[in-house]
Amino acid sequence: MGKKTKAVNNRQSGGIDFIRAKKKVGKTIRKNANATDTTVRAKRINLPGQTSLGGEGKGDAVTSRGLSLGELLNQTGHYSERVRKDALEGIRELLENHPGAMGGAAAAVVE
């Protein structure tokens, strides 16, 4: 059986309890009075002064890749041969570019 509209209900000579309104072409459907607004508005927050959130590497000498001596020393124990090689190249770069900064970290390099 199809959907009942007002004309069908009148023919059945019953009550008009459940009437489906006919949809008109080009007419917009009105929103219910109790409809919930579900739109979400968000804005982006830019913090240009906080590019580096980590405390490590502040004021330290870093390589061209932005790695400090501590990070490079951690990478020397990596399982990958390529990562270990890159770490040693980074330590060499630090020695060439910042020779004075390596004096205090000589004990860590020897370990």
Side-chain angles (χ1 to χ4, degrees):
M1 188 174 206
K3 298 177 183 175
K4 294 184 179 182
T5 60
K6 188 175 182 180
V8 173
N9 279 342
N10 286 341
R11 275 189 246 138
Q12 290 180 352
S13 69
I16 53 172
D17 293 334
F18 302 104
I19 300 173
R20 179 180 299 264
K22 290 187 178 181
K23 295 185 172 114
K24 306 288 184 178
V25 178
K27 297 282 185 174
T28 58
I29 300 172
R30 290 184 291 163
K31 292 186 178 182
N32 294 339
N34 61 351
T36 304
D37 183 23
T38 58
T39 58
V40 177
R41 294 185 188 116
K43 289 190 176 184
R44 186 175 185 176
I45 299 173
N46 292 329
L47 302 173
Q50 294 184 352
T51 56
S52 175
L53 297 177
E56 187 176 344
K58 288 188 177 181
D60 293 342
V62 293
T63 63
S64 60
R65 293 183 355 206
L67 299 174
S68 67
L69 179 63
E71 293 168 338
L72 291 170
L73 290 175
N74 284 339
Q75 287 182 357
T76 56
H78 198 269
Y79 66 90
S80 173
E81 179 183 349
R82 177 72 182 171
V83 174
R84 290 193 309 262
K85 180 182 173 212
D86 289 343
L88 291 175
E89 288 176 358
I91 292 173
R92 188 184 77 211
E93 180 185 342
L94 280 177
L95 285 171
E96 291 172 355
N97 295 339
H98 308 284
M102 302 304 282
V109 173
V110 172
E111 288 179 13

